[in-house]
Amino acid sequence: MGTKVQREYRVTNSGNATLTISNVIAPSGFYSTLRTATLVPGETQTVHLVFAPEAATTYSGSLRIIGNQTSGETSVPVLGTGIVGSNVRAETFTGEISGGDTRCTSGLSFSFDVGPCKVFEFTTTQPGRVDALLIYNGDDALLSLEIYNPSTGDQVSRGDLVFDPYPGNGEYREMSTNLATPGRYQFRVTVISSSRVTTFRLITTRPN
C-alpha cells in the first residue's frame, strides 16, 4: 500500500477494419492508462495497467476492452494482493476540493495564491519512510502534494503532480520521503490549477 506496480498489455487490431476503443475498464484496485484509441488493421496499442491497492487484501477481476470489435479476445484476468510491511501503518484519505475551500499558503516555497487545499494530519512515534500515492479522477489538473511539519513550519517534502487523465496518461502519482524525527505532520493536497471540483484519494504508509 502507498506504492504502485505496473504491467504492460498489448491490444492488437487483427481484423481488416478500423478498431475504435471507447473504454478500457479495470477492476477495483487497478487503473488503466488507456481509455480510448483508434487502431488501423495490424496496429498495436500498449496498455499500462497499474495496481494501486487501498487495503491489505486480494484484488481480482478482468481488464476489459470496450469497442466496436466483432470477434477476438476482449478481456484478460488480473490478480494482485495489497500488503502492509511490519511496523508500518497504512491509511487512505478521501477528499474533494472545491474553489471555496481553505488555501494553504503557509510553508510553501512560493508566494502566489496556489489555490484551495485539504489537510490530513498524522503522528509518528518513530522515524522511517513515508510512501504516498495520490489517485485523481477528473479533468486536467495540476496538484501539489506535500508533507509539512506544523510545529516547525518546515516543508519536509513536496511534489507537483500533473494529471492529464485522457488517452495515454495515468491518474495517479506517488511520492516517498524519509522522516528523520517522530512527531506530528500533515499531508497537504493543493489544487494549483483546475476548472472543476477535484476528487482524489491519498493512500499512505508510514511508521507507526
Side-chain angles (χ1 to χ4, degrees), residues 157-175:
S157 182
R158 176 178 171 272
D160 288 338
L161 313 171
V162 180
F163 291 88
D164 180 12
Y166 292 100
N169 294 279
E171 300 174 351
Y172 45 83
R173 293 293 186 273
E174 60 185 334
M175 182 176 71

Side-chain angles (χ1 to χ4, degrees), residues 15-87:
N16 55 13
T18 298
L19 169 64
T20 301
I21 297 174
S22 56
N23 199 5
V24 178
I25 300 176
S28 174
F30 296 87
Y31 299 86
S32 167
T33 60
L34 181 68
R35 287 291 184 271
T36 62
T38 300
L39 281 67
V40 299
E43 184 179 0
T44 296
Q45 176 76 52
T46 299
V47 179
H48 293 99
L49 184 68
V50 176
F51 178 50
E54 295 187 40
T57 188
T58 298
Y59 295 80
S60 62
S62 295
L63 176 67
R64 296 191 295 131
I65 307 297
I66 309 299
N68 65 342
Q69 66 273 4
T70 58
S71 63
E73 296 294 329
T74 58
S75 67
V76 61
V78 293
L79 177 69
T81 302
I83 61 172
V84 178
S86 59
N87 298 319

Side-chain angles (χ1 to χ4, degrees), residues 131-153:
D131 290 309
L133 181 65
L134 187 64
I135 300 174
Y136 165 72
N137 291 282
D139 291 337
D140 295 0
L142 175 60
L143 281 72
S144 170
L145 172 64
E146 68 169 331
I147 298 176
Y148 179 73
N149 187 335
S151 61
T152 64

